Amino acid sequence: MKNFLTLGIETSCDDTGVAILENDNKVLCEYLSSQIKDHSRFGGVIPEFAARKHLENLLPLVDAALREINIRGQDLSLIAVTRGPGLMGSLIVGVQTAIALSQVWGVPLIGVNHIEGHLFAPLVDSQDLEPPFLSLIVSGGHTEIIEVKEFGKYRLLGETRDDAAGEAYDKAARILGLKYPGGPEIDKLAKTGDSHAFNFPIPLKNTHEIEFSFSGLKTALLWQVKKFQEAGENIPVNDLCASFQRAVTEALMAKVNLAVKLTGIKRVSASGGVSANSALREALSNSKNFRAWLPKLSRCTDNAVMVAMAGHNSWERGAFVNDTVIPDPALHAI
Ligand code: KG4
Ligand code: ZN
């Protein structure tokens, strides 16, 4: 049987990703061009700038990927591209490039939901994770728990009422004068901080709904920082990072445990940028209530391997494939 080769393209936000996957999950090559350095001087992603960077980076990465494994574009079996949710300008660059390549090479094209892409990230290296399972998606734009009944059949169990967990980390970092993206910075400084130095409220911890809220927590941090500033005292940044991280982790864990209890499903995966957080990884991995599957660190944040895998899986299920994939910045997860 001829091997099935999927080219994955990811450009939903500020990372340009290209990967080639053989059959279900064998990663032949993967490339990621991060714009973090370009955007961190602005304290966040500038959409127009991100789109222009994707335009510069995408085709050279596709070219490098084909060369690395010594194939031509025509040898591909499928092109899978993120079509949303994300930044419109960034999505347009990925989708239009994918449409052009698909037409020039005569290769079928499939649009991938970025959230479904994240959902597949832990599966790249873990063949023993099979539906039904619960998927905690924690990224810069999303915080939700999805019940994966089977691939392609998802139920949203709950989501954030306001900020996403990654957004909360980024805003907290800004309050503390740390650079963008805030999650990795807070994670690093928290390692030498006391996580019990401050008792931040654990948002919605005791409600009986699967729901999240992080905007109040961010405000609690802001007031704490202001108190130190007004008193003319040094800000204990590491202790604040550790205590903030504990609160976010406890809030996420409370609802993962609730979802396990309500559904009886004891298999939990996590993905999205915040699944790289060391405290969250430790809490999930050490849980006695369920077994956890986590992507390797480089595949927690946006990447094209997860997009290729989700696209290939949809293709196998007979999902709609054509050359008129339309970018949708507000695409829903399910
Ligand atoms: O999944 P992702 O790359 O992009 C979106 O689809 O949003 O997630 C990026 C988010 C950022 O908010 C970033 O601060 C957060 O993930 N993040 C982390 C860590 N690494 C990345 N948050 C907490 N701890 C980390 N180690
Ligand atoms: Zn993402």
Side-chain angles (χ1 to χ4, degrees), residues 122 126 268-271 275 280-282 284-285 292-296 300:
S126 314
V268 175
S269 74
S271 37
S275 68
L280 180 62
R281 291 176 83 86
E282 197 181 322
L284 287 165
S285 305
W293 280 262
L294 301 167
K296 66 181 204 181
C300 291

Side-chain angles (χ1 to χ4, degrees), residues 114 118 139 302:
H114 182 75
H118 274 304
S139 70
D302 294 346

Side-chain angles (χ1 to χ4, degrees), residues 10 12 26 64 72 107 148 198 202 230 255-256 317 319:
E10 159 62 36
S12 67
K26 184 169 175 204
R72 301 166 314 147
V107 174
V148 180
F198 300 92
I202 314 296
E230 278 160 16
K255 299 306 177 183
V256 169
R317 296 194 310 264

Side-chain angles (χ1 to χ4, degrees), residues 106-257:
V107 174
L109 174 67
I110 192 163
V112 172
N113 184 314
H114 182 75
I115 303 303
E116 192 179 11
H118 274 304
L119 193 145
F120 272 87
L123 288 134
V124 179
D125 300 299
S126 314
Q127 276 86 64
D128 60 342
L129 175 59
E130 278 176 14
F133 65 89
L134 301 177
S135 171
L136 171 70
I137 308 276
V138 270
S139 70
H142 292 263
T143 298
E144 51 208 35
I145 299 179
I146 295 170
E147 179 184 344
V148 180
K149 293 166 184 284
E150 55 188 73
F151 293 124
K153 224 172 171 193
Y154 308 118
R155 181 161 71 113
L156 180 64
L157 296 181
E159 60 187 332
T160 182
R161 288 184 185 180
D162 40 56
D163 293 350
E167 190 181 354
Y169 271 111
D170 294 337
K171 287 178 176 170
R174 192 187 279 229
I175 291 168
L176 293 168
L178 306 173
K179 62 178 199 258
Y180 173 86
E185 291 296 302
I186 291 182
D187 198 352
K188 197 166 68 193
L189 297 179
K191 289 194 185 353
T192 48
D194 175 3
S195 63
H196 289 273
F198 300 92
N199 258 327
F200 289 121
I202 314 296
L204 306 176
K205 186 175 182 182
N206 297 316
T207 68
H208 298 289
E209 302 286 321
I210 300 172
E211 55 184 351
F212 303 96
S213 166
F214 294 105
S215 83
L217 179 58
K218 166 202 69 197
T219 310
L221 174 74
L222 179 65
W223 284 114
Q224 195 58 251
V225 168
K226 278 200 167 150
K227 261 196 215 163
F228 283 111
Q229 283 169 336
E230 278 160 16
E233 293 172 19
N234 283 340
I235 298 170
V237 176
N238 296 24
D239 287 350
L240 287 166
C241 285
S243 303
F244 180 84
Q245 182 170 273
R246 176 172 66 84
V248 174
T249 305
E250 283 187 24
L252 293 170
M253 289 302 294
K255 299 306 177 183
V256 169
N257 281 317

